Amino acid sequence: LTAFIRKHHESKKIVVLASGDPLFFGIGSYLAKALGPENVEIHPNVSALASAFARLKIPWHDTAFVSCHGRRGSSDLLRNLENKTKLAVFTDPEHDPAWVAGQAIESGHRHFKIWVLEQLGSPGEKVRSMTLEQASGMKFAEPNLVVMLQDDDLRPDSKALFGLPDNCFSHSQGLITKTEIRAISLARLQLFPGAVVWDLGAGSGAVAIEAGHLVGPGGKVYAVEKDSGRFEQLKSNCQRLQAANVEPLQADLPTGLEKLPEPDRIFVGGGGKRLSRILAAATADLGKDKIVVINTVLLASLNTVLEFFNNNSWRVDTIQVQVSRAVSLADDLRFEPVNPVWIIQATRK
């Protein structure tokens, strides 16, 4: 396009027709930069966003704008879902409203309502409000625009000490200790006021934050996570849920454990191939009656844990938990299973 304009602009006037405001995620800024602002004259029209919010009849001066059009990844979307209460999202055929809704659900931001505005200004225009779950399973006419508003009625009570729903926490790709499993794991830890807790492989911090609630202001939880993305979610969740006694730490376990004060309780939610080394380092100096709880979905990890504690003369109690959750289907309910989890409780004799 710019090559064509440079070739013909001396003998002809070139008109580039763009929709809405060319300087709002439009071609205007590109042309001004490529050709020089002195060679470009811009006549803005009403932008898609102005039209969208006019249809919704709500102000938009406090709106965060995210463009997923022709871009990779969801980091901008997730960052704004975390920090903003009102979003407008530009879509494309790949990053459509169903994808946007799915990203919000997956990352734990179910407390948003969504509006999808299809083919604005055309005879086929549609403006629809729906839940994230509804939008995630639908098809929409192109082009379209998404507006998302936080709904406090959908946000769970984050003041609860125990049993917070999964959507209280920002998390990635379902990597969170689910509410029911978390409740049983915390019960197996046998927490008490003032306890010092290590959460190793803390992920988004769901276990650490609820443990912090249960040990109270006199207690302390050290939440250790390696992955940088999950560590940022961990810090954000601690701040948002006011978990003042939870200290997020980024470390590649078992490195860093030697700097922590002796724990009363240890929870291990990860570890992979390093699990034996992590357990050895974490339990080396633990005294009598200290408790370690490990969650795993892998048979190899279960065998690793049992072998380690049995060889070191700990008292071991193992359970498997299978939870099924009700989901709507054809005006009725079906029960959808969550992955079964082994929960191993080991107590120092």
Side-chain angles (χ1 to χ4, degrees), residues 119-249:
Q119 299 184 339
L120 277 173
S122 77
E125 176 181 307
K126 289 183 180 178
V127 178
R128 292 188 276 177
S129 171
M130 62 200 75
T131 66
L132 292 173
E133 287 76 10
Q134 289 170 331
S136 66
M138 295 177 63
K139 298 290 186 181
F140 300 92
E142 295 285 342
N144 54 62
L145 177 70
V146 166
V147 173
M148 303 178 72
L149 296 180
Q150 181 174 291
D151 187 339
D152 289 336
D153 290 338
L154 296 178
R155 183 184 286 277
D157 182 8
S158 61
K159 297 178 182 179
L161 293 179
F162 188 66
L164 295 176
D166 296 342
N167 60 0
C168 267
F169 305 94
S170 297
H171 57 277
S172 299
Q173 300 174 340
L175 295 175
I176 183 174
T177 303
K178 302 298 190 294
T179 301
E180 301 83 1
I181 305 301
R182 191 185 329 131
I184 297 172
S185 301
L186 289 165
R188 304 290 279 181
L189 280 169
Q190 297 181 18
L191 300 172
F192 55 88
V196 174
V197 182
W198 292 359
D199 182 358
L200 307 182
S204 59
V207 171
I209 290 170
E210 287 205 330
H213 290 166
L214 294 171
V215 301
K220 185 75 173 182
V221 180
Y222 296 90
V224 185
E225 174 57 42
K226 171 187 173 182
D227 181 84
S228 57
R230 290 194 286 273
F231 182 67
E232 290 303 315
Q233 290 178 330
L234 167 62
K235 292 194 298 182
S236 174
N237 285 329
C238 288
Q239 182 178 17
R240 183 165 49 82
L241 295 172
Q242 300 178 347
N245 63 345
V246 178
E247 183 173 339
L249 300 168

Side-chain angles (χ1 to χ4, degrees), residues 295-348:
N295 286 8
T296 182
V297 298
L298 301 175
L299 183 59
S301 295
L302 172 66
N303 292 332
T304 296
V305 172
L306 294 178
E307 181 180 4
F308 175 85
F309 285 113
N310 287 327
N311 288 344
N312 288 279
S313 301
W314 287 60
R315 187 167 60 252
V316 180
D317 186 20
T318 305
I319 61 174
Q320 186 188 60
V321 180
Q322 169 70 70
V323 173
S324 296
R325 291 176 169 178
V327 295
S328 298
L329 177 67
D331 298 323
D332 203 341
L333 294 176
R334 66 178 291 270
F335 284 86
E336 189 172 277
V338 180
N339 284 339
V341 179
W342 282 291
I343 301 176
I344 306 100
Q345 179 196 60
T347 306
R348 174 75 88 179

